[in-house]
């Protein structure tokens, strides 16, 4: 959906680039991320209402460091530089940036000296911000005045009000900056003079119209995984084209307990959407392929390749289609190297490469402009049930990577039942939305235990719960001990084959969110 107005984020390799864009969208203003290599002429054609420069790991005064032409600051468009972006603005416009005598990192008391009617309106005389820098602005560029400082940073923020140029050394996009959302709102809505008309109801309505116009009388094929993204896409397409859509749901037997039936209940013959729904129960086929395989990457590859084979077989039965739909969302686009400047993370993702095993003319990706939280909002607008829209993040290979060692039907049963109990008890305690992700995994460790008067030799279940902003880093959640004890007791008493339950305290890094 084309937005009437937008703010663009120019990425210099900052770890929070997606978070900046999300915060802008929370102001109801559409936002996209572009690399600092984007030519100035392209930016002019976009006619953005505002520009935000991200942080980055480099020193702007070093040879070869990411930079941008001075012309960017002469377009008459408001510009906000964050951290590296602030330093670069000063460097390019005639100020000076040097190695800081004292590095600032973490929550920092900041005194507000100016811009109290613009960027810092409503912020007060001091506030707590999140600093992360080893360089500092030792001299502001001509025309700028210092509008904030800290005990160790003489230029925590600077502004050239006449040109609407603002440089702030801290990160307003992270939650640790207490008034960060207000600062970004001041810039995006007030300084950039935006209307704030980017909303999910209008996105859904307009996207349905666009899909109808594009597809016409054509046929669309979608591989429905049952995850949030593919489910929202299925609902969107169903609203737009109905029976012209065929969804193939490959149940590989590695889903959470009852999940396959829940997906069929929503999209199948008795569901709320009038589409063609095909469910392939391929569990035994997957278990046979995974027999004896213990190495995580091999399991991933086998599960992915087998999905392609099963989907290919079903696609051949359906015959030629006009469009293949994919649930690509905006972080997939950025992380695949097509949006910003960040390291390519999802090398396995389908962005940028079309499958060659299905007979189709064109690919459509109606969700590629949305972040995950926006996808969820769209799902609610489309009438999907909350339990599906707010489903926990789930890896493509499913329980195959939450089972350490060989995958068997027995192990799948154990981890499904343990995970179900864990989720049920967190919900009963009102904690189901507290961690950003939580699940039970099955270790490959077996140990001696005593149950009743008998010795046992059974598996250990590992509980995981993390809190994170972007899943790039994560910390273990502090689940109340009484809740963990209840979960432990139920799992050991109700799940045959388990005599030990552990809680994983590992952060990311060094660990991953998934156990693997």
């Amino acid at each position: 959906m084309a937005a009437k107005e937008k703010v663009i984020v120019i990425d210099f390799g900052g770890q929070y680039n997606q978070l900046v864009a999300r915060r802008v969208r929370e102001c109801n203003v559409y936002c996209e991320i572009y690399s600092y290599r984007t030519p100035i002429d392209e930016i002019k054609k976009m006619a953005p209402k505002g520009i935000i420069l991200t942080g980055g790991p480099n020193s702007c005064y070093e040879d070869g460091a990411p930079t941008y032409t001075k012309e960017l600051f002469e377009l008459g468009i408001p510009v906000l530089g964050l951290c590296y972006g602030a330093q670069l603005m000063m460097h390019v416009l005639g100020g000076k940036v040097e190695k800081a005598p004292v590095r600032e990192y973490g929550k920092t008391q900041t005194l507000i000296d100016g811009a109290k009617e613009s960027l810092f309106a409503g912020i007060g005389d001091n506030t707590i911000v999140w600093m992360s820098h080893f360089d500092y602005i030792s001299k502001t560029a001509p025309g700028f005045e210092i509008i904030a400082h800290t005990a160790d940073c003489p230029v925590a923020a600077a502004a050239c009000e006449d040109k609407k140029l603002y440089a702030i050394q801290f990160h307003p996009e992270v939650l640790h900056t207490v008034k960060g959302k207000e600062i970004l709102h001041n810039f995006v809505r007030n300084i950039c003079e935006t209307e704030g008309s980017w909303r999910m109801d209008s996105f859904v309505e307009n996207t349905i119209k666009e899909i109808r116009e594009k597809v016409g009388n054509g046929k669309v094929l979608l591989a429905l995984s049952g995850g949030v993204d593919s489910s929202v896409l299925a609902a969107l397409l169903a609203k737009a084209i109905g029976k012209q859509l065929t969804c193939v749901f490959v149940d590989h037997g590695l889903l959470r307990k009852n999940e396959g039936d829940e997906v069929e209940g929503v999209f199948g013959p008795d569901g709320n959407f009038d589409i063609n729904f095909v469910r392939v129960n391929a569990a035994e086929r997957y278990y046979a392929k995974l027999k004896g395989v213990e190495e995580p990457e091999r399991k991933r590859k086998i599960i992915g390749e087998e999905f392609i084979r099963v989907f290919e077989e079903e696609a051949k039965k359906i015959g030629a289609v006009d469009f293949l739909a994919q649930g690509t969302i905006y972080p997939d686009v950025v992380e695949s190297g097509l949006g910003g400047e960040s390291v390519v993370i999802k090398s396995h993702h389908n962005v940028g490469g079309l499958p060659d095993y299905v007979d189709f003319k064109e690919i459509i990706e109606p969700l590629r402009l949305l972040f995950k939280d926006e996808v969820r909002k769209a799902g609610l607008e489309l009438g999907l049930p909350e339990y599906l829209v707010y489903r926990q993040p789930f890896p493509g290979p499913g329980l195959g990577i939450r089972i350490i060692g060989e995958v068997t039907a027995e192990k799948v049963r154990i981890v499904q039942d343990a995970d179900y109990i864990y989720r049920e008890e967190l919900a009963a305690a009102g904690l189901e939305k507290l961690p950003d992700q939580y699940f039970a995994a099955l270790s490959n460790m077996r140990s001696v235990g005593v149950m009743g008067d008998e010795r046992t030799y059974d598996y250990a279940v590992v509980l995981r719960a993390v809190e994170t902003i972007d899943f790039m880093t994560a910390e273990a959640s502090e689940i109340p001990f009484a809740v963990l004890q209840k979960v432990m007791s139920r799992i050991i008493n109700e799940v045959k084959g388990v005599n030990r339950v552990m809680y994983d305290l590992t952060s990311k890094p060094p660990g991953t969110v998934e156990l693997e």
Side-chain angles (χ1 to χ4, degrees):
M1 186 188 93
K4 293 181 181 178
E5 58 180 19
K6 69 179 176 181
V7 168
I8 66 170
V9 171
I10 298 182
D11 181 19
F12 292 90
Q15 61 178 319
Y16 301 129
N17 62 351
Q18 291 185 32
L19 194 53
V20 175
R22 285 179 60 185
R23 292 287 179 258
V24 172
R25 292 188 186 189
E26 287 171 6
C27 298
N28 298 122
V29 176
Y30 181 61
C31 183
E32 288 182 343
I33 302 168
Y34 292 91
S35 166
Y36 71 89
R37 294 182 173 89
T38 306
I40 189 70
D41 288 341
E42 287 188 25
I43 289 176
K44 288 179 182 177
K45 289 177 185 176
M46 295 177 205
K49 298 285 285 185
I51 298 169
I52 300 178
L53 314 181
T54 75
N58 303 93
S59 294
C60 64
Y61 48 79
E62 292 180 346
D63 292 339
T67 189
Y68 211 89
T69 173
K70 185 178 180 182
E71 190 178 352
L72 181 75
F73 306 104
E74 299 170 345
L75 298 176
I77 298 171
V79 181
L80 174 64
L82 310 179
C83 200
Y84 180 87
Q87 296 168 3
L88 182 67
M89 183 187 296
M90 294 298 100
H91 179 69
V92 170
L93 295 178
K96 191 170 184 180
V97 177
E98 299 178 272
K99 191 72 70 180
V102 178
R103 178 184 175 180
E104 283 187 309
Y105 184 81
K107 294 180 180 179
T108 307
Q109 178 85 1
T110 300
L111 303 177
I112 306 302
D113 304 310
K116 294 185 178 182
E117 303 299 321
S118 55
L119 189 66
F120 292 144
I123 304 304
D125 294 331
N126 62 79
T127 187
I128 298 295
V129 306
W130 183 260
M131 288 284 192
S132 179
H133 66 98
F134 48 81
D135 288 335
Y136 81 117
I137 299 165
S138 58
K139 179 185 176 184
T140 58
F144 282 80
E145 65 171 321
I146 297 171
I147 56 174
H149 72 280
T150 73
D152 295 313
C153 184
V155 187
C160 179
E161 295 277 16
D162 291 343
K163 296 182 178 179
K164 295 186 177 181
L165 303 178
Y166 301 88
I168 58 179
Q169 185 59 71
F170 53 88
H171 290 277
E173 69 274 20
V174 303
L175 296 178
H176 303 300
T177 296
V178 175
K179 298 284 187 179
K181 288 184 179 181
E182 290 86 342
I183 293 170
L184 286 172
H185 188 277
N186 286 339
F187 178 74
V188 170
R189 293 296 297 273
N190 301 333
I191 294 171
C192 296
E193 299 180 358
T194 55
E195 296 177 5
S197 55
W198 169 255
R199 287 180 173 82
M200 271 308 107
D201 53 356
S202 59
F203 171 85
V204 169
E205 182 182 345
N206 290 329
T207 302
I208 286 173
K209 289 179 184 176
E210 289 177 2
I211 290 170
R212 286 174 179 162
E213 290 174 5
K214 187 176 185 67
V215 172
N217 295 319
K219 294 180 179 179
V220 179
L221 178 62
L222 168 65
L224 177 62
S225 70
V228 176
D229 301 337
S230 70
S231 295
V232 172
L233 176 57
L236 189 64
L237 291 167
K239 292 278 189 182
I241 58 174
K243 283 285 190 181
Q244 293 168 247
L245 170 67
T246 297
C247 289
V248 175
F249 171 48
V250 179
D251 186 347
H252 48 34
L254 301 170
L255 298 171
R256 288 165 287 209
K257 189 172 183 177
N258 302 330
E259 203 160 61
D261 293 339
E262 288 174 358
V263 172
E264 184 170 0
V266 173
F267 294 103
D270 299 324
N272 301 324
F273 299 98
D274 187 23
I275 61 174
N276 299 304
F277 177 82
V278 179
R279 178 175 179 177
V280 184
N281 295 307
E284 295 305 320
R285 178 170 173 171
Y286 273 85
Y287 297 157
K289 288 282 185 180
L290 291 166
K291 184 176 177 60
V293 179
E294 297 189 0
E295 203 274 317
E297 279 307 307
R298 273 199 67 204
K299 288 194 287 186
R300 282 179 178 274
K301 189 172 182 181
I302 289 168
I303 294 167
E305 287 180 351
E306 197 61 18
F307 174 85
I308 291 174
R309 300 285 81 80
V310 175
F311 186 59
E312 181 181 24
E313 291 167 13
E314 294 303 317
K316 285 178 179 176
K317 296 176 187 176
I318 295 165
V321 295
D322 300 284
F323 299 91
L324 179 68
Q326 291 186 162
T328 307
I329 65 174
Y330 199 50
D332 299 328
V333 175
V334 175
E335 290 174 357
S336 297
L338 303 181
E341 190 56 31
S342 298
V343 175
V344 175
I345 297 165
K346 294 191 176 180
S347 58
H348 65 280
H349 201 274
N350 52 29
V351 177
L354 304 183
D356 57 5
Y357 50 86
V358 179
D359 185 8
F360 69 98
K361 296 176 183 176
E362 193 175 343
I363 195 164
I364 54 173
E365 300 170 307
L367 303 179
R368 68 182 285 120
L369 298 179
L370 302 186
F371 286 102
K372 178 71 79 174
D373 54 331
E374 294 169 328
V375 173
R376 295 187 197 279
K377 290 176 184 175
L380 294 176
E381 283 287 333
L382 290 160
L384 287 174
E386 279 202 18
Y387 72 80
L388 196 157
V389 170
Y390 288 104
R391 178 167 280 161
Q392 281 283 301
F394 197 58
L399 299 179
I401 58 170
R402 291 183 182 173
I403 295 172
I404 306 303
E406 181 185 16
V407 175
T408 66
E410 175 69 2
K411 287 183 176 180
V412 170
R413 177 196 60 79
I414 290 173
V415 77
Q416 282 181 334
D417 288 348
D419 182 73
Y420 186 83
I421 289 170
Y422 187 28
R423 287 186 287 127
E424 193 171 58
E425 287 302 326
L426 258 63
L431 302 173
E432 72 272 26
K433 292 185 180 179
L434 180 61
D436 294 292
Q437 186 169 357
Y438 53 94
F439 55 86
L442 185 63
S443 76
N444 205 25
M445 182 186 81
R446 299 180 74 184
S447 61
V448 173
V450 178
M451 298 182 75
D453 296 323
E454 296 182 0
R455 290 167 70 84
T456 60
Y457 185 63
D458 287 328
Y459 287 105
V461 161
V462 180
L463 304 178
R464 185 84 160 123
V466 299
E467 294 177 14
T468 178
I469 293 174
D470 53 11
F471 283 88
M472 300 298 293
T473 61
E475 295 288 339
S477 295
E478 293 185 32
I479 305 296
F481 189 65
V483 176
L484 290 175
Q485 278 191 309
K486 189 170 184 182
V487 174
M488 174 274 297
S489 180
R490 281 195 61 192
I491 289 175
I492 288 177
N493 283 296
E494 298 175 33
V495 183
K496 185 180 177 182
V498 178
N499 66 0
R500 197 174 295 268
V501 176
M502 300 182 288
Y503 188 66
D504 185 359
L505 291 173
T506 315
S507 61
K508 176 187 179 183
T512 63
V513 171
E514 297 293 339
L515 197 67
E516 296 201 79

